[in-house]
Amino acid sequence: MNGISLVGSPLGMMIAPPVVQQLIQLYGWRGALALLGAMSANYCVFAALVRPLRTRNSYTPIADGEPSSTTNPTPNESLCDSWRQWVGTMCEKLDLKIFVDEPGFAITQIIFFINGILFFGWHIYLIPNGTALGFNKTRSTFLATFWGFGSMFGRLLSGFVIDHGVVQAHNLFAGSSFLLTLVCLLDPIAAPSYAAVATLATLGGFCFGVLYPLMIVLSVNFPEERRVSALSWMYLFGGFGLSAGGFIIGLIYDVTGDYGVAFCTMGVISAVMGVLSLTLITTCFPCKTQDLGLD
């Protein structure tokens, strides 16, 4: 269900790029952006539909004598003690101890950060890379469609093979990382052939289609009472990676003037991610995967 629920994104990647290219040709950049803005406004409508109509827990007023978070500090409590208490409360809410208490958690966050770099770097520069290789705008745009097809297949397949015990999650994550390494390193070699570049785009989409759902699987592998914190940290570090990915890969292109170097760099980064994911085998996966269908 995790993989199936995430199929909408690659499906949109298959449809949107050619459609947007046609909108630009018909209405120009301003008109296309206005239409995209109107489409994006539907997020607000669908988000409102997600809101439950009735709350599960009714409001319970605080009884007299019970502590309240808005209560002013007592006169005997110093400002230093108040700040110390506030910092302790925030650390508890953020669950910072999870980095120390749970083996492998810090490594998973580094993996999520790296995956964010690769995810956005690939997304932003896939089509410009096609244009730089000499393909026209239409053919370059359809590279994203090939990516979406591969990603959709990867998201559907990843959950199936894990649920049926074909492979464990961390091994599948590592294998997809190494396959993505090969795809990125082959990009400069495949440059003259559109069929070869489209095939690599499909394989790259497949890798990302496997990797993203597995980020969630790796996060929920930790104790149930800490899964919400683990997922929150996953999105935080992944978001940092997304923010850094476009800048780092773009900077490499600005310095070298060659997308081949940028994609080869992503290949090396992906190899590092694969090696790190293999280290999780001896830390956080030896005996916790049975209830998650991972072995």
Side-chain angles (χ1 to χ4, degrees), residues 37-274:
M39 293 171 59
S40 300
N42 288 282
Y43 280 124
C44 301
V45 178
F46 286 110
L49 294 176
V50 174
R51 178 181 179 274
L53 298 179
R54 297 177 181 176
T55 57
R56 295 181 179 179
N57 299 320
S58 58
Y59 168 73
T60 303
I62 298 177
D64 294 338
E66 292 186 8
S68 172
S69 59
T70 59
T71 304
N72 294 326
T74 60
N76 295 330
E77 185 180 5
S78 66
L79 182 61
C80 181
D81 293 336
S82 178
W83 273 101
R84 188 182 297 109
Q85 182 180 5
W86 181 85
V87 171
T89 302
M90 292 303 299
C91 290
E92 182 179 354
K93 290 182 178 296
L94 294 174
D95 199 7
L96 294 176
K97 291 184 178 180
I98 193 173
F99 287 89
V100 179
D101 298 341
E102 298 298 332
F105 185 79
I107 297 177
T108 60
Q109 303 315 303
I110 297 174
I111 292 174
F112 298 155
F113 176 77
I114 294 175
N115 187 69
I117 293 176
L118 296 171
F119 191 81
F120 236 36
W122 181 279
H123 271 66
I124 294 177
Y125 299 107
L126 176 63
I127 296 177
N129 178 49
T131 304
L133 293 176
F135 307 124
N136 59 39
K137 291 183 178 180
T138 301
R139 302 185 84 184
S140 299
T141 301
F142 268 100
L143 291 176
T145 301
F146 287 110
W147 180 96
F149 174 77
S151 181
M152 183 172 61
F153 182 70
R155 296 191 180 193
L156 290 173
L157 181 65
S158 61
F160 177 82
V161 297
I162 292 175
D163 288 341
H164 287 76
V166 178
V167 64
Q168 293 185 349
H170 50 279
N171 290 330
L172 183 59
F173 194 97
S176 299
S177 300
F178 292 130
L179 178 59
L180 181 61
T181 298
L182 182 62
V183 169
C184 292
L185 294 178
L186 288 177
D187 181 79
I189 303 175
S193 171
Y194 182 80
V197 175
T199 300
L200 291 179
T202 305
L203 289 175
F206 172 80
C207 294
F208 283 112
V210 172
L211 291 172
Y212 187 79
L214 289 185
M215 290 173 58
I216 300 175
V217 175
L218 296 181
S219 295
V220 300
N221 185 75
F222 295 99
E224 184 175 359
E225 65 273 10
R226 282 183 154 175
R227 286 180 184 174
V228 175
S229 298
L231 287 170
S232 300
W233 283 111
M234 179 202 77
Y235 283 112
L236 180 65
F237 277 85
F240 285 150
L242 293 174
S243 300
F247 171 77
I248 293 173
I249 305 303
L251 179 63
I252 293 173
Y253 174 76
D254 289 341
V255 173
T256 62
D258 186 358
Y259 280 115
V261 177
F263 274 75
C264 287
T265 303
M266 286 193 285
V268 174
I269 296 174
S270 182
V272 173
M273 182 172 67

